[in-house]
Amino acid sequence: MMNVKELSTKLEYTVFALPDPVAQVTDGYTSDLLSDVMGNAAEDSVLITIQAHRNTIAVASLIGIKAIVLCNGRMPSPDMVVAAEQETVALLGTAENQFTTSHRIAAALGIS
Amino acid sequence: MRYCIDLHNHSCLSPCGSDSLLPAVLAMEAADKGIDMLALTDHNSGRNLPAFAEACEIVGITGIFGLEVTTLEEIHVLTLFETVRDALEFGQWIESILPRVHNSARLFGNQFVCDVRGTIIEEADLFLYGPADITFDALIEQTLEYGGLAIPAHIDRPANSVTANLGFLPDLPYSAVESIAMPPTVETLGYTVTQGSDAHYIEHIGRRRCFIESASDGFSGLRSALAAGAVSYLGF
């Protein structure tokens, strides 16, 4: 278990929104299909994706996902950042791809 | 004759559509902007089509009755029909294969079904954004088999488009492909290209349109014009 601020600092992510730095994350989920995320991701997860738009925040909020890491250097749309603040979801970014991001987060959370 | 067409618009039924975008408002505004043939294409549902049909009749434009279906691959496809009945039947089938998820109006927006006056008849409970349990290829085939027109939506958009989600445009018997930019910035492989407003707010109505050369402003005229590539664009 780790909070989103610690995770972001440890893995040197770009911070787009960090409305609740101490929100705890316990698991991760990697997917670029939001319907798959909606059906299968666990709450308190960090979502690893390239879907850099507002609907991703809505899905995250519905499930109770605490943080989103946008991979491959994708930049969030301005309304995505606003929604992340409103829905209290941390929005982070990295130049790394989904595979690398997933195994680094798993290692950081001690679940690899 | 040259007719102005706009085949992609939402109403207050779509969760992402404005609550003020009533089917009758769409028809009135579009008629005012000179559109002769107008489609309502809410996400995965045809429940506002009866009100839309009535409104088109009143303002004297040709209503095209459709849905914007989300496929398993989360690709958006416009499916268009000649009659409200056909579109409603197709829409019921699409709704039956959507994930059984309740809408959260706070997160996604309201899903209002209304009559021609804008009175709310019901609020759709099922989350209508999709995806339906059907592949892109199968949806194209089913739509055409059903007598409809199948048009992959906004193929030049970075999300929910065939180009973005599959990485290429498969060789299938599309009725046309829709592009936001004109000329298109992605490969269209010689398919007829249409432009539509994709209106989610009143101020979007009529923002994109194109023109067909056709003997009539009916559905069969539209079908023939798209098949023949008899389409022209503003500024081209």
Side-chain angles (χ1 to χ4, degrees), chain A residues 32-36 38 51 53-55 57-63 74 86-87, chain B residues 16 72-74 99 101-102 104 106-108 127 129-131 158-160 165 201:
Chain A
D32 297 319
L33 271 188
L34 292 183
S35 53
D36 172 56
M38 202 184 270
Q51 291 290 0
H53 52 79
R54 195 169 66 107
N55 286 330
I57 302 291
V59 169
S61 178
L62 189 75
I63 291 161
R74 296 241 180 171
Q86 277 169 357
E87 297 298 329
Chain B
C16 44
L72 264 184
E73 305 91 339
E74 296 185 1
V101 175
H102 299 286
S104 163
R106 185 183 69 83
L107 293 174
F108 300 106
F127 179 48
Y129 200 68
N160 298 120
N165 289 29
Y201 294 87

Side-chain angles (χ1 to χ4, degrees), chain A residues 24-48:
Chain A
Q24 298 285 322
V25 288
T26 57
D27 203 350
Y29 198 81
T30 306
S31 183
D32 297 319
L33 271 188
L34 292 183
S35 53
D36 172 56
V37 175
M38 202 184 270
N40 297 305
E43 65 175 330
D44 298 331
S45 287
V46 48
L47 173 64
I48 296 140

Side-chain angles (χ1 to χ4, degrees), chain B residues 71-109:
Chain B
T71 71
L72 264 184
E73 305 91 339
E74 296 185 1
I75 300 166
H76 290 181
V77 180
L78 303 174
T79 61
L80 307 173
F81 302 91
E82 182 167 14
T83 67
V84 176
R85 206 177 129 218
D86 285 353
L88 280 179
E89 210 173 287
F90 194 82
Q92 273 169 11
W93 171 60
I94 292 295
E95 282 194 39
S96 78
I97 56 172
L98 288 179
R100 304 287 101 185
V101 175
H102 299 286
N103 183 40
S104 163
R106 185 183 69 83
L107 293 174
F108 300 106

Side-chain angles (χ1 to χ4, degrees), chain B residues 163-181:
Chain B
T163 316
N165 289 29
L166 295 188
F168 68 107
L169 184 60
D171 184 14
L172 294 168
Y174 313 117
S175 308
V177 294
E178 183 198 50
S179 175
I180 296 170

